Amino acid sequence: AQSVTQLGSHVSVSEGALVLLRCNYSSSVPPYLFWYVQYPNQGLQLLLKYTTGATLVKGINGFEAEFKKSETSFHLTKPSAHMSDAAEYFCAVSVTNAGKSTFGDGTTLTVKP
Amino acid sequence: KAGVTQTPRYLIKTRGQQVTLSCSPISGHRSVSWYQQTPGQGLQFLFEYFSETQRNKGNFPGRFSGRQFSNSRSEMNVSTLELGDSALYLCASSLGHLAGALTDTQYFGPGTRLTVL
């Protein structure tokens, strides 16, 4: 079985500062990894995903994540935070198809002016 | 292309009642997955349907059931509602082909907020 751990349920950064949201996974087989964002009262929107190949994955809205197999990590970063980035972020893992994903507990990102 | 739609968006029920939630996937998507989201348990996988068959199932009691129709639309049913069933129920659709897992992506609907009183 696979699992995901998101370190830090709340992260606060200043506008323009680096955003770093941490995700570690556990999987017995090569995983597919995802980051989603959820705004209040909305569903989840895919930011980026890792399947195979290049370990640095670029997503929408300036986010990127690096797959590090040796550290079983898939941390999400953005060089410069914007107020509109304030939301809840979820890391997810799948080992079969996208339809069955295991999600982390989520990290709420607050961006201070 | 229209996104995933869920109806109703909000629902209030009382304990013991049953409820049916509906999800219409993106056109061409054959996989529909359901998730329960609560503050205490986070996002938990309920089940996935592909081509009218349940392909995967999470760890939920039998009170939670679903089905998928030939047009890929899906319904989720919860019988004998409990207070703990209050949650945001999210539906997600994807192409669903296992062979295409590398390129497959889930698209989520806005959810149905269920409140059980």
Side-chain angles (χ1 to χ4, degrees), chain B residues 64-82:
Chain B
F64 292 82
S65 63
R67 60 177 175 169
Q68 187 179 35
F69 303 94
S70 58
N71 62 357
S72 294
R73 189 177 70 85
S74 177
E75 289 182 346
M76 191 193 92
N77 185 275
V78 187
S79 62
T80 319
L81 284 166
E82 301 177 359

Side-chain angles (χ1 to χ4, degrees), chain A residues 8-21 37-40 63 76 78 80-89 106-113:
Chain A
S9 58
H10 291 85
V11 170
S12 181
V13 300
S14 298
E15 193 173 18
L18 170 73
V19 175
L20 171 60
L21 305 182
V37 61
Q38 185 178 35
Y39 297 99
F63 285 94
L76 181 71
K78 182 174 180 178
S80 178
H82 191 273
M83 297 297 290
S84 61
D85 294 328
E88 189 160 20
Y89 292 80
T107 297
T108 300
L109 175 66
T110 302
V111 182
K112 299 175 292 185

Side-chain angles (χ1 to χ4, degrees), chain A residues 55-93:
Chain A
T55 56
L56 183 62
V57 182
K58 294 187 184 298
I60 62 172
N61 302 338
F63 285 94
E64 62 182 36
E66 186 171 10
F67 172 65
K68 291 187 176 181
K69 184 178 178 180
S70 61
E71 299 177 10
T72 60
S73 69
F74 190 57
H75 301 331
L76 181 71
T77 60
K78 182 174 180 178
S80 178
H82 191 273
M83 297 297 290
S84 61
D85 294 328
E88 189 160 20
Y89 292 80
F90 292 91
C91 181
V93 63

Side-chain angles (χ1 to χ4, degrees), chain A residues 32 34 36 38 41-46 49 51-52 88 90 96-105, chain B residues 9-10 31 33 35 37 43 45 48 55-56 88 90 94 98 101-106 108-110 113:
Chain A
Y32 304 130
F34 310 84
Y36 292 87
Q38 185 178 35
N41 297 314
Q42 293 186 28
L44 277 67
Q45 180 184 9
L46 181 70
K49 69 176 182 180
T51 52
T52 61
E88 189 160 20
F90 292 91
T96 53
N97 61 299
K100 184 187 178 187
S101 295
T102 300
F103 285 81
D105 290 336
Chain B
R9 290 293 311 277
Y10 301 91
S31 168
S33 298
Y35 295 85
Q37 185 177 25
L43 266 161
F45 174 76
E48 179 202 9
R55 182 160 70 176
N56 287 296
L88 180 67
L90 292 165
S94 64
L98 293 178
L102 290 179
T103 56
D104 205 5
T105 297
Q106 280 192 112
F108 281 81
R113 173 78 59 187

